[in-house]
Amino acid sequence: MASTAPISDSNPALAAQAALLALPVTEERRMADAIRVLAMDAVQKANSGHPGMPMGMADAATALWSRMLKYDAADPTWPDRDRFVLSAGHGSMLLYALLHLSGHAGMSMDDIRNFRQLHSVTAGHPERGEHPAIEMTTGPLGQGISTAVGMALAERHLAARFGKSLVDHRTWVIASDGDLQEGISHEAASLAGHYRLDKLCVLWDDNGISIDGGTELSFTEDVLKRFQAYGWAVKRVNGHSPSALLGAMGYALRSRKPTLIACRTIIGFAAPKKAGTAGSHGAPLGAEEIAGARAAMGWNHPPFDIPEDIKAAWEKAGSRGGGARRSWLKRLARHPQKAEFERAMAGRLPEGWADALNAHRAAIAESKPKIGTRIASQQALNALVPSVPEMIGGSADLTGSNNTDVKGIPAMRPGDYAGRYIHWGVREHGMAAAMNGMALHGGIIPYSGTFLIFADYLRPSLRLAALMGTRAIHVLTHDSIGLGEDGPTHQPVEILASLRCMPNTFLFRPADAMETAECWEMALRRADGPSVLALSRQALPALRSDAGENRSARGGYVIAEADGARQATLIATGSEVSLAITAQALLREEGIAVAVVSLPCWELFAQQSAEYQAETLGAAPRVGIEAAVRFGWDSLIGADGIFIGMTGFGASAPADKLFEHFGITPAAVVAAVKKRVA
């Protein structure tokens, strides 16, 4: 059961702290104290931040970074390094102190002094890209531990592909009570146990304190038994005892399961009054408390001043992995897969990867299939996956509906990680976080599927992918009322708009098999953020027979120009493009000339020149057509533009009946245009 620390003047944590501080001061303790003073001082100077966790976990972090973690401060992107994830990202000063003290370039004392300031690399929460040794952006609790599961899974797969001489490292996580309470961590921990990810170890900061007070307010389950039930090995240790911590980490090295180490710690360790209380969690300690902590530790140095002997000890720890890295470089130099390994880890697509896809597009132009775009997506994957060995697919228990599997591609299984398809189970959020981890690790391009309506179940991880610029591809099928009888709970009328407003996220909604193949090409080419393919359940007619230029690459284009001067422009996405084509023909019979624009990716269209956008959309009245809500469409059609779509939730009925019921029909388009141009 999680430990608790009553918040009162008689806080027993203070007595335990006094006993620990009375022990002989070792080099390890002084190294940990250096973390504590930097955390206190930086938060105090910024007048903002979370000093308690770094102070409490300083001993565990010191044991890990000085004795266990495989890294070299001289090369923080060395591919075979251990990955370290600070899931408890609010305690970011722990990571920044570790990077500074261990000698990482680009994390100077001036950077520490500039904590939480504009343009500083030491942001309030760790941000990927601000420093090369920050493996991922953390802060939303549960994301770090869940993303780390994907990193560990990536390591196992790449070891199966390239061998242990190139890939043999671990993933370490520091997590908080809050991380373990968030629902996503339950999904991810279950996955890790199922896949027996024995190179994953989580150090749980079991300090018994949350923002509201003691964790007993809301958190009373036996966490170790829970993780044992998931299939993890577990240990509980004194989080301030280097020998106990190292013993538990050694146990993790030998374990054939993922390992959770519950580190019993005192939050805000060394603070004379606030240690063991919520008062040290998320606010500066104050000058008096900091002075008392310095006295308790015997730290007689001014703010941001680290003694030379402690600097030297930490820099020795930071260079400890130099020999291992140099040995690895020698193995890489003579490895027969050297070029392929470097290409995959750099995220470069193989030579000729698009050849099979181009042949597939030519076949589409010839056969003009009438199929759902989810089926067209699977056909595109049949061309792509054998040509791009980094692509690893999956589904949240909807393989037969998402059509994300590829014939001849085996699944990954516990203990057998060579497969390239993952059965994620009904765990959309854990799946998306693990996909981020696989992509962040390098060497893998993950894609996975669920229904578009369940984008809300994975949205926080998708948002982090967008924030980090992570290449992850989400195949989200059953994209409208066109899914039919499953009804309004499954009909995502508002999801397209909500995804389009997320920065750095590309949403593709193709209109037929040709556009689907084109959109897959663009999603795969995109290396600086996530892509979403919104795909239909219902069959859609082939609209194009040209297999040359990838017209979807511009995001939008005129798929059918008007016969003469435009009197209106019909703009549609996905399944509604064919509806617009039918409406165009009906209007032509009545002497009204309209063009049809297909807009499969608004984000790509927004990147085109103003001239191209104006030419494509035209100056005539514009009609937006989409089986979803209007939100966002006014940027294209104007506030006075016509919109044919949804105004509320859907209903349960066959798809054709629903389109008729909600007035999303060629006849409705014709009537609206005639009314406007009359």
Side-chain angles (χ1 to χ4, degrees):
M1 200 161 77
S3 62
T4 62
I7 302 170
S8 70
D9 292 339
S10 60
N11 180 2
L14 296 181
Q17 174 175 282
L20 289 166
L21 288 169
L23 295 173
V25 178
T26 62
E27 182 179 71
E28 289 86 354
R29 232 292 299 281
R30 293 190 74 209
M31 292 171 72
D33 286 346
I35 296 173
R36 293 185 178 103
V37 296
L38 288 178
M40 291 190 305
D41 292 344
V43 171
Q44 185 69 19
K45 184 175 185 296
N47 196 30
S48 172
H50 299 74
M53 191 283 279
M55 296 172 72
M57 282 298 282
D59 297 300
T62 298
L64 176 61
W65 278 62
S66 66
R67 300 286 293 277
M68 288 290 178
L69 191 71
K70 183 173 73 170
Y71 72 107
D72 183 1
D75 185 2
T77 60
W78 165 33
D80 201 37
R81 70 192 181 279
D82 284 357
R83 270 56 172 180
F84 173 74
V85 174
L86 183 65
S87 193
H90 56 276
S92 56
M93 266 310 306
L94 177 66
L95 178 55
Y96 303 148
L98 288 165
L99 295 179
H100 170 73
L101 292 167
S102 59
H104 281 76
M107 187 61 69
S108 68
M109 190 62 82
D110 283 342
D111 293 315
I112 300 295
R113 290 190 184 95
N114 208 28
F115 178 56
R116 285 185 164 231
Q117 304 309 302
L118 186 63
H119 304 310
S120 171
V121 301
T122 50
H125 293 87
E127 301 287 350
R128 179 178 183 259
E130 294 295 342
H131 189 281
I134 298 174
E135 299 285 0
M136 68 168 292
T137 297
T138 56
L141 291 177
Q143 286 289 339
I145 182 175
S146 305
T147 303
V149 170
M151 294 178 179
L153 198 57
E155 189 275 342
R156 293 288 73 204
H157 173 76
L158 292 171
R161 180 179 174 189
F162 293 107
K164 289 182 64 176
S165 65
L166 290 188
V167 184
D168 187 14
H169 54 266
R170 308 185 69 83
T171 303
W172 301 86
V173 180
I174 286 181
S176 65
D177 295 313
D179 284 299
L180 302 191
Q181 290 174 45
E182 287 285 0
I184 184 175
S185 69
H186 296 243
E187 296 183 21
S190 176
L191 277 165
H194 170 73
Y195 281 107
R196 301 204 300 266
L197 299 179
D198 58 329
K199 293 200 166 191
L200 173 65
C201 180
V202 176
L203 307 178
W204 166 32
D205 181 18
D206 180 17
N207 61 39
I209 295 295
S210 63
I211 291 175
D212 284 356
T215 53
E216 81 279 4
L217 291 169
S218 60
F219 189 47
T220 51
E221 73 255 27
D222 189 322
V223 173
L224 298 193
K225 285 185 178 178
R226 168 157 65 93
F227 273 75
Q228 281 181 313
Y230 290 143
W232 289 55
V234 298
K235 281 283 186 183
R236 187 185 296 282
V237 299
N238 179 347
H240 299 293
S241 168
S243 61
L245 287 160
L246 290 170
M249 292 179 203
Y251 168 76
L253 296 182
R254 298 186 298 273
S255 174
R256 301 183 69 178
K257 302 176 180 179
T259 303
L260 175 74
I261 302 174
C263 305
R264 280 285 180 88
T265 64
I266 299 171
I267 191 171
F269 182 84
K273 296 178 182 178
K274 295 184 178 180
T277 76
S280 67
H281 184 284
L285 295 178
E288 181 180 345
E289 194 77 357
I290 289 174
R294 275 183 152 79
M297 291 185 288
W299 190 272
N300 302 313
H301 308 281
F304 303 105
D305 184 28
I306 306 298
E308 289 300 324
D309 61 329
I310 300 301
K311 279 186 183 178
W314 265 114
E315 289 176 3
K316 180 180 178 182
S319 62
R320 181 175 51 86
R325 180 176 65 88
R326 289 187 290 273
S327 295
W328 180 86
L329 287 170
K330 291 177 182 177
R331 294 195 301 274
L332 175 65
R334 59 178 180 266
H335 199 283
Q337 293 175 283
K338 176 180 183 294
E340 181 69 357
F341 177 82
E342 291 180 329
R343 180 197 63 74
M345 292 301 294
R348 298 191 305 271
L349 297 171
E351 290 291 328
W353 68 272
D355 292 349
L357 185 66
N358 291 335
H360 170 61
R361 290 180 59 220
I364 291 172
E366 182 70 25
S367 62
K368 302 180 182 60
K370 182 179 181 179
I371 53 177
T373 51
R374 62 176 179 148
I375 304 296
S377 171
Q378 185 175 47
Q379 293 179 356
L381 287 169
N382 286 335
L384 286 170
V385 172
S387 302
V388 185
E390 294 77 60
M391 292 182 71
I392 293 184
S395 171
D397 197 47
L398 289 167
T399 296
S401 295
N402 301 146
N403 302 99
T404 44
D405 58 330
V406 174
K407 186 176 181 180
I409 300 296
M412 206 177 287
R413 303 183 188 283
D416 179 6
Y417 306 101
R420 293 172 57 201
Y421 193 81
I422 300 176
H423 294 284
W424 295 106
V426 187
R427 303 183 182 97
E428 284 89 355
H429 202 184
M431 171 182 77
M435 289 169 65
N436 288 348
M438 298 174 85
L440 289 168
H441 177 280
I444 290 175
I445 302 173
Y447 72 92
S448 287
T450 186
F451 290 167
L452 179 60
I453 190 66
F454 301 134
D456 278 348
Y457 281 2
L458 58 79
R459 179 180 302 275
S461 294
L462 178 64
R463 184 179 187 273
L464 270 191
L467 186 59
M468 294 187 288
T470 303
R471 178 197 261 164
I473 304 172
H474 295 271
V475 179
L476 304 184
T477 67
H478 296 59
D479 68 346
S480 75
I481 60 170
L483 66 88
E485 292 86 345
D486 277 341
T489 61
H490 283 53
Q491 292 164 4
V493 296
E494 81 285 11
I495 304 298
L496 295 175
S498 72
L499 293 178
R500 285 174 180 143
C501 74
M502 186 181 292
N504 199 38
T505 301
F506 281 17
L507 172 66
F508 297 92
R509 189 170 186 242
D512 67 355
M514 182 66 75
E515 281 196 0
T516 303
E518 292 177 339
C519 290
W520 256 113
E521 178 183 346
M522 299 311 298
L524 200 54
R525 287 188 185 277
R526 185 168 196 238
D528 58 356
S531 298
V532 172
L533 284 91
L535 305 173
S536 76
R537 175 181 185 267
Q538 73 273 29
L540 305 177
L543 302 177
R544 284 176 39 205
S545 58
D546 56 303
E549 175 193 359
N550 182 334
R551 302 183 72 188
S552 298
R554 290 178 174 263
Y557 63 97
V558 179
I559 191 169
E561 188 53 272
D563 296 329
R566 292 189 197 181
Q567 294 172 266
T569 300
L570 311 182
I571 309 167
T573 76
S575 50
E576 288 70 69
V577 177
S578 58
L579 183 155
I581 294 287
T582 301
Q584 180 193 42
L586 294 173
L587 287 164
R588 182 186 300 116
E589 291 176 0
E590 301 202 32
I592 300 173
V594 302
V596 177
V597 170
S598 178
L599 210 67
C601 182
W602 291 21
E603 295 76 25
L604 281 175
F605 187 68
Q607 293 180 1
Q608 308 307 308
S609 68
E611 292 77 14
Y612 177 80
Q613 293 180 42
E615 180 184 1
T616 301
L617 300 179
R622 299 172 185 175
V623 182
I625 311 167
E626 190 169 66
V629 297
R630 178 171 180 148
F631 193 86
W633 271 93
D634 285 0
S635 64
L636 296 165
I637 62 176
D640 61 344
I642 300 168
F643 182 72
I644 305 294
M646 299 293 292
T647 57
F649 292 114
S652 177
D656 57 342
K657 300 295 184 183
L658 291 173
F659 278 94
E660 185 72 33
H661 174 73
F662 289 108
I664 307 173
T665 63
V669 175
V670 168
V673 171
K674 288 173 66 177
K675 184 176 180 181
R676 176 61 58 89
V677 303

